[in-house]
Amino acid sequence: MPEWSRRLREQGVVGLNERNLEYINRANGRRHFPLVDDKLRTKRLAQRYGVAVPELLGVIRGNHEVRRLEQIIPGDRGFAIKPARGSGGKGILVIASHGDGWFRKGSGEWLPRRRVVRYLSNLLAGLYTLGGTPDVAMVEALVEIEPEFAAFSHAGVPDIRIVVYQGYPVMAMMRLSTAASDGKANLHQNAIGVGLDIARGEPVHAVQKNRRVSHHPDTGQRLDELRISDWEAMLIQAANCFEMTGLGFLGADMVLDRRHGPLLLELNARPGLSIQLANGIGLAPRLQCIRDREAERVEADRPVYTAQERVAFARARFTGTNDVLP
């Protein structure tokens, strides 16, 4: 085994092969994947389970419906258009305001209507889906950023990824948009990942372009001053997604709305592993801790723990270090 591989394993870092074989293949039944690969289906499922989501204003299913756009969008509020089966955060268009045939993006750029129509046509043709299959456009009300987050993000709403294993939240990070990421909260597009302590929701580590950072590069804000309200409610919502989908290993993308509190944006049956970089620690010890606890529960013939019990366990055990408390 190469030295670098041995060191990563000693630090508890889970690699792609281990994730695929030990967690996705074993914990995620293939029949459950469509529930989260289609964001429109996920949204309607969440509404049935009482999990809060951003308001759905309308759905555009074909080019003949694009002319209805002005009937769908609110006259005085921003909105977002998303491909229902998009991947990697691609194809999301955020409009902060509009009027007289012009649309202002979250970054401040103005688009004429014909460019929005062309974008919708490409989306419907499947430009943002993995296999290039035809898609539908979801039009959602714009999430309103909490005032305390304004200095932590550039032209975008920060979101929070929580990895959930067997219904337990095991690791979390907040993704902060930057000028380099064009307002998108995607680490692969140069956003910042801030690892969060599961117990308190406070920062433990932060990276941009795989390098540790202490301040936001555009606003100068110190990242260790980040604080998240409604942290427990957010963890419980993420934990509830286990029962909602039947997926044992998933990534729940949440956002904190100024008016509505924690909202579920989407779920991922194949969560990426960069959350380990953002936290500066590996997932393996926490995943093993959950395996052991669930094995004990099954052996003792106890009922499945509630989401509240699972969250309480995770908050008591998982700290910002690589150690799992006894």
Side-chain angles (χ1 to χ4, degrees):
M1 177 184 296
E3 177 64 16
W4 61 266
S5 180
R6 186 184 63 78
R7 290 179 60 188
L8 289 177
R9 182 167 291 276
E10 287 176 353
Q11 294 169 11
V13 174
V14 174
L16 277 176
N17 289 338
E18 184 178 2
R19 180 202 67 167
N20 295 342
L21 294 173
E22 297 295 325
Y23 299 103
I24 293 178
N25 286 356
R26 290 190 178 189
N28 292 352
R30 299 290 298 180
R31 69 185 185 282
H32 300 304
F33 278 49
L35 298 176
V36 299
D37 286 348
D38 185 331
K39 296 177 181 62
L40 183 57
R41 196 169 172 182
T42 305
K43 181 182 285 286
R44 289 177 170 155
L45 183 66
Q47 289 170 328
R48 286 206 298 274
Y49 274 78
V51 176
V53 293
E55 179 187 1
L56 180 66
L57 301 172
V59 179
I60 297 175
R61 299 181 180 279
N63 282 300
H64 64 286
E65 294 187 350
V66 172
R67 69 172 72 95
R68 294 197 303 113
L69 178 62
E70 277 77 4
Q71 299 171 22
I72 294 173
I73 57 180
D76 58 349
R77 290 162 49 197
F79 61 93
I81 305 177
K82 301 177 180 178
R85 290 191 289 275
S87 63
K90 297 175 184 173
I92 298 175
L93 178 64
V94 175
I95 298 297
S97 62
H98 61 94
D100 298 328
W102 287 85
F103 298 80
R104 184 170 65 84
K105 294 172 62 177
S107 62
E109 179 187 3
W110 284 91
L111 303 177
R113 188 179 190 281
R114 67 175 184 279
R115 284 188 57 186
V116 176
V117 170
R118 187 166 66 223
Y119 151 79
L120 277 168
S121 180
N122 288 333
L123 183 158
L124 295 168
L127 181 63
Y128 306 112
T129 61
L130 280 177
T133 55
D135 203 355
V136 301
M138 301 165 52
V139 185
E140 292 183 343
L142 205 59
V143 172
E144 295 188 20
I145 189 172
E146 284 278 8
E148 61 261 37
F149 292 155
F152 289 94
S153 190
H154 173 83
V157 177
D159 72 0
I160 296 175
R161 160 66 60 89
I162 301 174
V163 171
V164 178
Y165 181 54
Q166 301 298 348
Y168 296 78
V170 293
M171 194 168 281
M173 67 172 168
M174 177 173 268
R175 296 179 290 203
L176 309 174
S177 58
T178 65
S181 73
D182 191 27
K184 296 182 174 64
N186 189 319
L187 266 59
H188 299 299
Q189 295 173 311
N190 297 324
I192 296 172
V194 181
L196 300 172
D197 177 21
I198 285 289
R200 299 180 299 277
E202 296 178 358
V204 294
H205 193 264
V207 295
Q208 184 187 27
K209 303 177 188 176
N210 297 334
R211 294 181 180 177
R212 188 165 190 175
V213 292
S214 59
H215 294 69
H216 194 287
D218 305 310
T219 68
Q221 173 66 48
R222 283 180 54 148
L223 299 176
D224 62 1
E225 294 179 352
L226 180 65
R227 295 294 181 270
I228 300 172
S229 57
D230 291 331
W231 180 239
E232 183 174 21
M234 189 169 289
L235 292 178
I236 290 173
Q237 282 212 25
N240 275 326
C241 295
F242 170 59
E243 281 86 358
M244 188 178 97
T245 63
L247 293 169
F249 186 68
L250 60 88
D253 292 346
M254 316 282 296
V255 68
L256 199 55
D257 183 84
R258 182 176 65 82
R259 296 179 300 156
H260 303 294
L263 302 176
L264 175 66
L265 289 178
E266 63 181 67
L267 296 172
N268 195 318
R270 314 164 191 82
L273 298 171
S274 57
I275 195 169
Q276 299 176 112
L277 282 172
N279 279 268
I281 58 176
L283 274 165
R286 299 183 180 194
L287 298 175
Q288 186 60 50
C289 174
I290 299 304
R291 275 185 168 181
D292 293 344
R293 188 178 198 233
E294 283 298 297
E296 290 175 6
R297 180 186 65 77
V298 171
E299 187 174 345
D301 198 24
R302 297 193 191 103
V304 174
Y305 295 113
T306 66
Q308 288 80 3
E309 290 172 327
R310 297 193 301 263
V311 167
F313 178 84
R315 296 184 75 185
R317 296 299 181 96
F318 304 148
T319 70
T321 72
N322 223 8
D323 297 323
V324 176
L325 297 178

